[in-house]
Amino acid sequence: MTDPPSGPRPATSTDVARLAGVSQATVSYVMNDAPGVKISDSTRERVRQAAEQLGYSPHASARTLRKGRSDVVLMPVPDIPVGHLAGRFFRELGRLLRGHGHTLVMYGDTDGRGATAAREWAQWRPAAVLVAADRLTRAGVRQLHAAGVATVVAMGPRPSLLAPTLVFDDYAIGGCAVEHLIARGRRRLGVVVPAEPELAVFAGPRFEGAERAAAARGVAVRRIVLPSDEAGAAEVVAGWDAGERPDGIFAYNDDYAMVLMRVMQDAGLAVPGDVAVVGADDLPLGRLLRPRLTSVRVAGDRSAAQVADRLHQMIVAAEREAGVVLFESSAEIVHRESS
Amino acid sequence: MTDPPSGPRPATSTDVARLAGVSQATVSYVMNDAPGVKISDSTRERVRQAAEQLGYSPHASARTLRKGRSDVVLMPVPDIPVGHLAGRFFRELGRLLRGHGHTLVMYGDTDGRGATAAREWAQWRPAAVLVAADRLTRAGVRQLHAAGVATVVAMGPRPSLLAPTLVFDDYAIGGCAVEHLIARGRRRLGVVVPAEPELAVFAGPRFEGAERAAAARGVAVRRIVLPSDEAGAAEVVAGWDAGERPDGIFAYNDDYAMVLMRVMQDAGLAVPGDVAVVGADDLPLGRLLRPRLTSVRVAGDRSAAQVADRLHQMIVAAEREAGVVLFESSAEIVHRESS
DNA sequence: ACGTATCACTTATACGTATAAACTTTGTAT
DNA sequence: ATACAAAGTTTATACGTATAAGTGATACGT
């Protein structure tokens, strides 16, 4: 009654049924290997061949509408730069979830949070939503559950009170670096906080973790706000008094560490003689520098499989306990020459 | 008759209609600002308030089913590592498309191609598909069009014969680097081809572009297969005869260039004295090295807006001419100290 | 011979939306 | 007064699927 006819349309289950000489229901049963329904092998085969011949692929939206939920694991990602570890982790996760019949979808959304954002995510009736912990509110989680989302999973540096969490422990990274510096005999510690505001989500916890570890050993840390460009960083370093200059610095990550090392060396400071430097993320490039860069390695690659399995279970069982840790990254120091 | 009742369900347009005291059709007309349909302002307002009160958000799948196509721009991405430029470009593109009412969805799929892959993408009835040129076949494109996909857009180093293309010109990158090296007086040229097979898609064109530019000037280039790890790279360099050693190398990208520079320096070769090195992608880190790394910058950031606008037009008009270039990246040399 | 299982299907229906078509008011020209 | 248009709304329907419920067969035990 409505649509303009537009040439050849994609095949539907009804088309397949007609070609195979069976009913549409039978096609559906065959395609989904419906348990508890008996279909003879000959019919099964005929349906399969007809589907193949027509290039049939079920209409995802129709299926979602009928079932009330899709097989999508929705991952709303705003403008946050995806780091080295996280990128690998999610690529792997996507591959594994696919094996369980789910589809990981990265959805470039606005940076809203709470119920408003949840409403937008809910449109897709995803099986699960995987999102930064600080974008969830109680009302938002409730809304998602009401929309049939089986499980909401948070991601953040600490277990969320609202949902099970993938803990990417940025506190531990800072702590690990500082403990290493102290063990190497450094006492005038500095911790880099990137001047770039979009990194604040990660930088806050790393700094706090460093601060806490230092406090536990009776050492103070100094906050160093550092821009990522060479000139800006040089200015910061030039402003240091010889007496007050730190003798050990955790540089937030390897990128900032490399810039920092460069400008310190150009300013005549010896690394690690005058100042020890520790980065994080263990980028391959860090090993090319002289001195080779000490870094905090964040492990997690392996665990993507565990997370995928667990997530699948949770979707099937519609588990929604909050405060549970589904995954926890571990931090360990990789000691090289810069510290 | 079918579904188990499961607590509070998300609000539907019918719920909104009931609360506002109108019919479901009216709600739909109001929510979509349907042109050619008159609704009084008072009713409009009542519907809007009811929708707000119930937290109504339309069921994306139901809408897709009814309309025959969704507002999704599907971007199937296999395991290819997303580079610096491409990452920024697509993030920006997503943001802009959203402004036009589309949703960019990155879909982590298998690495199939042709009609089989197309069938999988077609399940979602996307408005457009944005995919690597070499995954398209004529049959695949036909299948997508049949599924109501308004436009198929290819991405690759050359305009595709099957669909309009976003040209990320890797040939030009290689050419640009080699021309620079020749202009600097180098004649024994080498071009790095990464040993890692997943980079072959990009490496092939960069090498060919380099080869062609060299041939045009009567210079030969030598292919250097280089692994990305330091030890492996050192072995390659150690194998060079003093006489045959290249005096100018295009190193595929900045990452490989940095490794190469490192191992060459450690082997006692002077850069650029003995060997000039050119990278690509203009990573910030390259500027930190000594000598600072010369690189080929790939411009494109700006044009995301143009691409978004054009893509929107194409979706609306269902344009499908092949051989058209929607976007072309440009390569230019950034000369620093390594060459 | 008759009821009853089991098998192998088919029929009918609902999911939530968009939209053509029908319908009721109300206003306006003849 | 009557026709007729315009405004504002409702009714009815289709999109493609999954699945509960129904329908004929055929087999089997007594």
Side-chain angles (χ1 to χ4, degrees):
Chain A
M1 177 199 279
T2 58
D3 288 336
S6 59
R9 333 196 85 272
T12 69
S13 56
T14 309
D15 296 331
V16 175
R18 194 171 315 131
L19 180 59
V22 298
S23 71
Q24 179 267 326
T26 301
V27 173
S28 178
Y29 286 133
V30 171
M31 300 307 283
N32 298 327
D33 271 327
V37 176
K38 305 277 184 180
I39 305 281
S40 68
D41 285 350
S42 66
T43 303
R44 230 168 248 283
E45 192 49 33
R46 245 182 320 136
V47 169
R48 291 243 163 79
Q49 292 200 353
E52 188 53 38
Q53 186 179 333
L54 295 177
Y56 171 67
S57 133
H59 191 306
S61 294
R63 169 180 269 171
T64 298
L65 177 59
R66 169 63 230 238
K67 304 227 294 185
R69 78 186 43 154
S70 67
D71 64 354
V72 161
V73 175
L74 193 71
M75 207 176 129
V77 286
D79 274 358
I80 293 178
V82 180
H84 208 239
L85 163 75
R88 288 172 77 94
F89 182 84
F90 292 121
R91 209 160 30 229
E92 187 64 7
L93 187 63
R95 210 180 54 75
L96 292 161
L97 283 175
R98 155 166 302 268
H100 286 301
H102 304 290
T103 307
L104 184 65
V105 165
M106 307 237 191
Y107 175 83
D109 72 341
T110 53
D111 52 3
R113 60 189 292 277
T116 314
R119 201 188 301 179
E120 199 182 324
W121 307 333
Q123 291 190 95
W124 300 94
R125 301 293 189 274
V129 171
L130 203 57
V131 70
D134 58 354
R135 302 184 68 192
L136 289 173
T137 61
R138 204 170 309 272
V141 173
R142 209 181 307 120
Q143 183 134 28
L144 289 173
H145 285 156
V149 175
T151 33
V152 178
V153 176
M155 298 181 293
R158 278 284 172 265
S160 165
L161 297 174
L162 304 171
T165 311
L166 303 184
V167 174
F168 292 95
D169 195 346
D170 285 297
Y171 294 98
I173 294 172
C176 182
V178 158
E179 277 169 21
H180 169 77
L181 286 169
I182 292 176
R184 302 291 300 170
R186 310 292 166 150
R187 289 295 179 275
R188 299 196 311 278
L189 301 185
V191 172
V192 166
V193 175
E196 286 69 22
E198 68 268 25
L199 295 176
V201 208
F202 307 110
R206 288 189 188 189
F207 179 79
E208 269 187 53
E211 202 172 31
R212 218 175 296 153
R217 276 159 189 74
V219 179
V221 303
R222 165 175 164 186
R223 176 189 221 105
I224 303 172
V225 176
L226 196 80
S228 63
D229 67 289
E230 192 174 347
E235 248 179 73
V236 171
V237 169
W240 288 343
D241 283 341
E244 283 191 68
R245 188 213 312 139
D247 65 355
I249 299 181
F250 167 53
Y252 172 67
N253 72 9
D254 283 356
D255 285 311
Y256 285 85
M258 292 190 222
V259 175
L260 183 64
M261 252 176 61
R262 174 82 268 158
V263 299
M264 291 199 309
Q265 289 176 326
D266 285 352
L269 297 174
V271 178
D274 296 321
V275 189
V277 175
V278 176
D281 295 347
D282 195 27
L283 298 187
L285 287 178
R287 290 166 229 177
L288 299 178
L289 303 186
R290 298 295 178 266
R292 295 179 177 82
L293 184 62
T294 294
S295 189
V296 178
R297 168 163 46 213
V298 182
D301 265 23
R302 260 289 191 55
S303 336
Q306 288 168 28
V307 174
D309 289 348
R310 191 80 183 76
L311 193 54
H312 174 64
Q313 283 172 25
M314 293 180 62
I315 290 170
V316 171
E319 284 181 45
R320 41 185 70 170
E321 330 167 48
V324 176
V325 173
L326 287 188
F327 162 84
E328 179 144 25
S329 64
S330 69
E332 72 184 315
I333 196 83
V334 181
H335 184 202
R336 297 205 183 87
E337 304 157 1
S338 71
S339 66
Chain B
M1 177 200 281
T2 59
D3 288 336
S6 61
R9 332 196 87 273
T12 69
S13 57
T14 309
D15 297 330
V16 175
R18 195 172 312 130
L19 180 59
V22 298
S23 70
Q24 178 267 326
T26 302
V27 173
S28 177
Y29 287 134
V30 171
M31 299 308 283
N32 298 328
D33 271 329
V37 176
K38 306 276 185 182
I39 306 281
S40 69
D41 285 350
S42 66
T43 302
R44 228 168 250 283
E45 191 51 30
R46 245 181 320 134
V47 169
R48 291 243 163 77
Q49 292 201 353
E52 189 54 37
Q53 186 179 332
L54 295 178
Y56 170 67
S57 134
H59 192 305
S61 293
R63 170 179 268 171
T64 299
L65 177 58
R66 170 63 231 238
K67 303 227 295 186
R69 77 186 43 152
S70 68
D71 64 354
V72 162
V73 175
L74 194 70
M75 207 176 128
V77 285
D79 275 358
I80 293 177
V82 179
H84 208 239
L85 163 76
R88 287 172 78 95
F89 183 84
F90 291 121
R91 208 158 32 228
E92 187 64 6
L93 186 63
R95 209 179 57 72
L96 292 161
L97 283 174
R98 154 165 302 268
H100 286 301
H102 305 290
T103 307
L104 184 65
V105 165
M106 306 236 192
Y107 176 85
D109 71 342
T110 53
D111 52 3
R113 60 190 292 277
T116 314
R119 200 189 301 180
E120 198 181 324
W121 308 332
Q123 292 191 95
W124 301 93
R125 299 294 188 274
V129 171
L130 203 58
V131 70
D134 59 353
R135 302 184 67 193
L136 290 174
T137 61
R138 203 170 308 272
V141 172
R142 209 181 306 121
Q143 183 135 28
L144 289 173
H145 285 156
V149 174
T151 33
V152 178
V153 176
M155 298 182 293
R158 278 283 172 263
S160 165
L161 297 174
L162 304 171
T165 311
L166 303 183
V167 174
F168 293 95
D169 194 347
D170 285 296
Y171 294 97
I173 295 173
C176 183
V178 158
E179 278 169 21
H180 169 76
L181 286 169
I182 292 176
R184 302 292 298 170
R186 310 293 166 150
R187 290 295 179 275
R188 298 196 312 279
L189 301 185
V191 172
V192 166
V193 175
E196 286 69 23
E198 67 269 26
L199 295 176
V201 207
F202 307 110
R206 288 191 187 190
F207 179 79
E208 269 187 52
E211 202 172 31
R212 220 175 297 155
R217 277 162 187 72
V219 178
V221 301
R222 164 172 164 187
R223 176 189 221 105
I224 304 173
V225 176
L226 196 81
S228 65
D229 67 291
E230 195 175 344
E235 248 179 72
V236 171
V237 169
W240 288 344
D241 282 341
E244 283 190 69
R245 190 211 312 138
D247 65 355
I249 300 182
F250 166 53
Y252 172 66
N253 74 6
D254 283 358
D255 284 311
Y256 284 85
M258 292 190 223
V259 175
L260 182 63
M261 252 176 63
R262 174 81 271 158
V263 299
M264 290 199 310
Q265 289 177 326
D266 285 353
L269 296 174
V271 177
D274 296 320
V275 188
V277 175
V278 176
D281 295 347
D282 194 28
L283 298 186
L285 287 178
R287 291 166 228 177
L288 299 176
L289 302 185
R290 297 299 179 263
R292 295 178 177 83
L293 184 63
T294 294
S295 189
V296 178
R297 169 162 46 213
V298 182
D301 266 22
R302 256 298 187 50
S303 337
Q306 289 168 27
V307 174
D309 290 349
R310 191 80 183 77
L311 192 54
H312 174 64
Q313 282 173 26
M314 293 179 62
I315 290 170
V316 171
E319 284 181 45
R320 40 187 70 170
E321 330 167 49
V324 177
V325 173
L326 287 187
F327 162 85
E328 179 144 25
S329 64
S330 69
E332 71 185 317
I333 197 84
V334 181
H335 184 202
R336 297 207 183 86
E337 304 156 2
S338 71
S339 65

